[in-house]
Amino acid sequence: MATLTFKFGGTSMGNAAIIASVAQIILDAVEQGHQILTVVSAMSGVTNQLLDSARAAAEGRTAVYLKTTADLRDRHHEAARELVRTPEAQEALLVELHRLIDEFQDLCRSVAILGELTNRGLDAIVSIGERLSARLLAAHLQDRGAAALPIDATRLIVTTAAFQNATPLMDKTRARVQQHLVPLLKAGVLPIVTGYIGATETGITTTLGRGGSDYSGGILAACIDADELWIWTDVDGVMTADPRLVPSAHVIPILSYREVGELAFFGAKVLHPKTILPVMDRGMPIRVRNTFNPTHPGTLIRPEPEITPFIAKAITIIPDVHLITVAGRGMIGVPGIAGRTFSAVAREDVNLLVISQSSSEQSFCFIVRDSDSARAVAAIKAELAAEISRQDVDRVWAQENIEVITIVGAGMRETPGVAARIFGVLAEEQINVIVIAQGSSDANISLAVDSKDARRAVQALHRLVANNGAAG
Ligand code: ADP
Ligand code: ASP
Ligand code: MG
C-alpha cells in the first residue's frame, strides 16, 4: 500500500464525462489498496474567465462578469446534474455551487463599484474556480458511495501575502496538514483539495501563480509524506517538445528533477516550475500521466537523470520575450554596472530568463518577458542616469520579436559533441542565433532567435533530439 497524491488539471476536470473518469482513476487506486489525496484545478478555461471578468469589472465593463456568471452556472449546473443522481445530494450540491457563483458575482460587483482591482481582490475572485470543481468531484465520488470530502486549501496551505504569486510557509502548512488532513486520510476518507489557492496566516485567500495547482500537489504531497506525486494531465507525459508545436514529439520515460526544472522554467507548460521544490529533498518520485489514456506509464521524474545516447532530451520555447541590452564603451573596466543593473531590475520584481555578456565588456544583455520589458528598461535608465549622462553607457534598449529556445539534458554542456551538433543544425538551417545563454546548470543550453526563425529552429532541433544526435 502506498500513499499517493494525485493532481488533476483543468482539462481533466473539463466536463462531467471526464470528471467521472477521474473518479474512476481514484477509485481504482483505492481498490488497489492505496491511500489517495486528490488535488484539482478549476474546469478548463474557468480561471481565464474569472481573471478577465475581474479586470473588466474594474474598467466598468460589467457585461463580462454577468456573462461569466451565467456561463459558470450553466456549465457547473449541467455537470452537477450528470454527476450526482441522488436528488437530495444533487440539490445540496447545486445550492453550494450557486452560493459560490453568487460570491463571485458579488465580488465583481464590488470591484465595478470601486473601479479598482487589487491583487488581493483578484485572488478572492479566481479562487472560486477551484472551489467549484473540488465540490463537483467530491459530490460525484460520494454519489458513487465513496467517503469523499471537498476541502479548500485556504485551510491547509499557509502562504505569504504576495497575492497572485504567494509562497507557501512550509512549516506552518505542514502543521495544518498534519492536524486537519492526515487524520482524514488515515480514516479512509478521500480528500479532494482545491489546487492553486492558499491563505495567509490570518485567513486571507491567496493564489500560487498561474498553473499553480501542480505546485499545490507538490506542497501537499510533501506535507503528508506521500510516497509519490502523480500529475494527471491531457498528454501522455513530459514530451520531447510541446506536441502542439511539434506533432512528432514523443514521451520521455525518465527525467531528473533538474532536467524537468529546466524544462518547466524554460517554457514547458506541462509542469509548474516550482512543483519539484517541496519534494526534491525527499527524493519523492513524480509521475506525469494522461487522464485520457490512463494505461500509459507516462514520465517518471526522479533525482538522477537517465543516460541516453545523445544526452539532449527535449526542446522548449518561450515566446514573447524582449532582449534588453546595456551598451557603452565607457563601461570597460568600470565595476558594478552589471550588478546595479540587475539589482534595479530585481527591485521591479522582473524575472531574468537568460543573461549573457559579450567578451569585450562593452555590452551585456538579458532576456525578460515582454510584459516586464518597459518597466525593466525604465528602472535601468533611472539607475544608470549618471553613467548615461557621462556617456559611459551609450544605450539601454529592448529588442522585440525574440523567442528563447532551450535544449535540455543533464550533462549536455560537458559533452563536447552535443553543442557542436546543435549549432551545426542551426547553421544548416541558416538560423541566426542572437544570444547564447550561460545558465547556471549543466542541463540546458538556451538561445535567443528572431521570432520568424523560432518555429523552424525548434523543429530542426527536435529532429536532432528525436534521432539521437543524427541530423535527419
Ligand atoms: P493541466 O491543465 O493538466 O495542468 P496544462 O495545459 O497546464 O495541463 O499542461 C499540459 C499541456 O502542456 C499539454 O497539453 C501540452 O500542450 C503542453 N506542453 C508544453 N510543452 C510540453 C512538453 N514538453 N511535454 C508535454 N506537454 C507539453
Ligand atoms: N486553474 C489555475 C490556472 O489556470 C491553476 C492550474 O490550473 O494549475 O492557472
Ligand atoms: Mg497546468
Side-chain angles (χ1 to χ4, degrees):
M1 189 197 87
T3 300
L4 307 176
T5 298
F6 283 1
K7 176 268 174 174
F8 293 93
T11 330
S12 306
M13 299 295 290
N15 59 42
I18 190 67
I19 293 177
S21 322
V22 163
Q24 193 60 51
I25 289 172
I26 298 170
L27 294 173
D28 287 348
V30 171
E31 176 88 19
Q32 287 162 21
H34 303 309
Q35 253 178 14
I36 305 296
L37 167 63
T38 304
V39 178
V40 294
S41 291
M43 293 178 92
S44 48
V46 165
T47 305
N48 284 340
Q49 276 183 304
L50 298 172
L51 282 167
D52 292 347
S53 303
R55 292 189 177 126
E59 293 164 11
R61 291 185 288 123
T62 52
V64 181
Y65 80 77
L66 292 175
K67 176 163 188 318
T68 298
T69 307
D71 286 353
L72 290 175
R73 283 199 208 283
D74 284 353
R75 193 163 169 203
H76 289 84
H77 203 110
E78 188 186 328
R81 272 202 309 265
E82 282 181 49
L83 288 168
V84 180
R85 301 288 174 173
T86 324
E88 311 80 69
Q90 191 188 89
E91 185 52 33
L93 173 63
L94 287 173
V95 167
E96 185 72 359
L97 297 179
H98 288 304
R99 183 185 66 76
L100 285 166
I101 297 169
D102 289 344
E103 191 179 323
F104 161 74
Q105 192 174 5
D106 290 346
L107 286 165
C108 285
R109 188 179 299 128
S110 324
V111 168
I113 293 169
L114 290 169
E116 188 194 19
L117 178 62
T118 59
N119 282 342
R120 172 174 165 168
L122 197 53
D123 279 352
I125 291 171
V126 290
S127 74
I128 304 278
E130 271 71 11
R131 290 158 74 196
L132 289 167
S133 62
R135 281 160 179 81
L136 269 179
L137 174 60
H140 174 65
L141 282 160
Q142 287 164 6
D143 207 52
R144 291 169 73 163
L149 195 66
I151 302 178
D152 288 346
T154 46
R155 293 178 50 204
L156 302 172
I157 300 184
V158 185
T159 72
T160 60
F163 298 103
Q164 286 284 290
N165 190 25
T167 302
L169 305 174
M170 287 305 283
D171 291 344
K172 297 200 164 89
T173 300
R174 190 173 180 55
R176 295 263 184 105
V177 166
Q178 290 293 328
Q179 193 185 345
H180 300 298
L181 195 56
V182 171
L184 292 174
L185 279 169
K186 291 214 170 108
V189 171
L190 285 175
I192 311 296
V193 183
T194 56
Y196 185 43
I197 71 178
T200 64
E201 265 190 283
T202 53
I204 301 163
T205 302
T206 55
T207 59
L208 304 173
R210 290 309 304 272
S213 294
D214 300 329
Y215 192 19
S216 308
I219 296 165
L220 293 172
C223 292
I224 64 165
D225 299 311
D227 296 301
E228 296 193 2
L229 166 63
W230 293 18
I231 305 286
W232 290 92
T233 182
D234 59 2
V235 284
D236 283 336
V238 181
M239 306 178 82
T240 47
D242 183 343
R244 286 171 302 188
L245 273 180
V246 183
S248 61
H250 58 260
V251 174
I252 307 168
I254 296 173
L255 284 169
S256 67
Y257 291 141
R258 173 170 293 178
E259 287 171 326
V260 97
E262 299 290 349
L263 270 163
F265 181 82
F266 287 106
K269 191 190 169 205
V270 62
L271 206 66
H272 188 282
K274 292 184 185 164
T275 312
I276 54 173
L277 297 179
V279 305
M280 265 170 90
D281 45 347
R282 298 160 188 269
M284 188 191 298
I286 304 176
R287 290 178 202 276
V288 178
R289 305 192 57 177
N290 193 348
T291 310
F292 299 82
N293 186 17
T295 52
H296 194 289
T299 298
L300 167 65
I301 301 163
R302 64 178 194 191
E304 293 309 318
E306 185 187 30
I307 307 303
T308 56
F310 182 53
I311 304 200
K313 291 178 185 144
I315 316 291
T316 63
I317 185 159
I318 314 181
D320 305 325
V321 298
H322 285 189
L323 176 70
I324 296 181
T325 305
V326 178
R329 268 157 303 168
M331 281 165 48
I332 300 173
V334 179
I337 290 193
R340 281 166 52 209
T341 300
F342 295 138
S343 305
V345 171
R347 281 196 296 276
E348 291 293 315
D349 231 359
V350 169
N351 247 329
L352 300 184
L353 301 171
V354 161
I355 301 174
S356 175
Q357 175 154 27
S358 74
S359 53
S360 70
E361 269 193 72
Q362 292 189 16
S363 74
F364 59 90
C365 55
F366 51 92
I367 290 175
V368 301
R369 287 186 201 284
D370 57 356
S371 53
D372 290 334
S373 172
R375 250 179 327 130
V377 169
I380 299 164
K381 285 186 172 163
E383 174 66 36
L384 302 181
E387 285 78 6
I388 293 171
S389 72
R390 286 200 302 270
Q391 294 185 332
D392 285 345
V393 171
D394 300 324
R395 264 185 96 192
V396 178
W397 81 100
Q399 185 178 345
E400 299 176 14
N401 299 322
I402 302 279
E403 308 200 10
V404 175
I405 295 175
T406 303
I407 305 99
V408 177
M412 203 167 49
R413 267 211 231 124
E414 294 84 83
T415 314
V418 181
R421 300 312 313 252
I422 288 170
F423 291 107
V425 160
L426 294 172
E428 271 162 41
E429 292 280 330
Q430 301 201 314
I431 290 166
N432 178 33
V433 177
I434 300 170
V435 172
I436 302 167
Q438 295 296 327
S440 57
S441 103
D442 68 342
N444 75 292
I445 295 176
S446 292
L447 0 131
V449 300
D450 193 290
S451 298
K452 71 174 180 356
D453 296 329
R455 184 174 282 251
R456 223 157 30 92
V458 168
Q459 283 162 353
L461 290 169
H462 186 263
R463 281 196 296 278
L464 190 68
V465 168
N467 296 334
N468 267 318

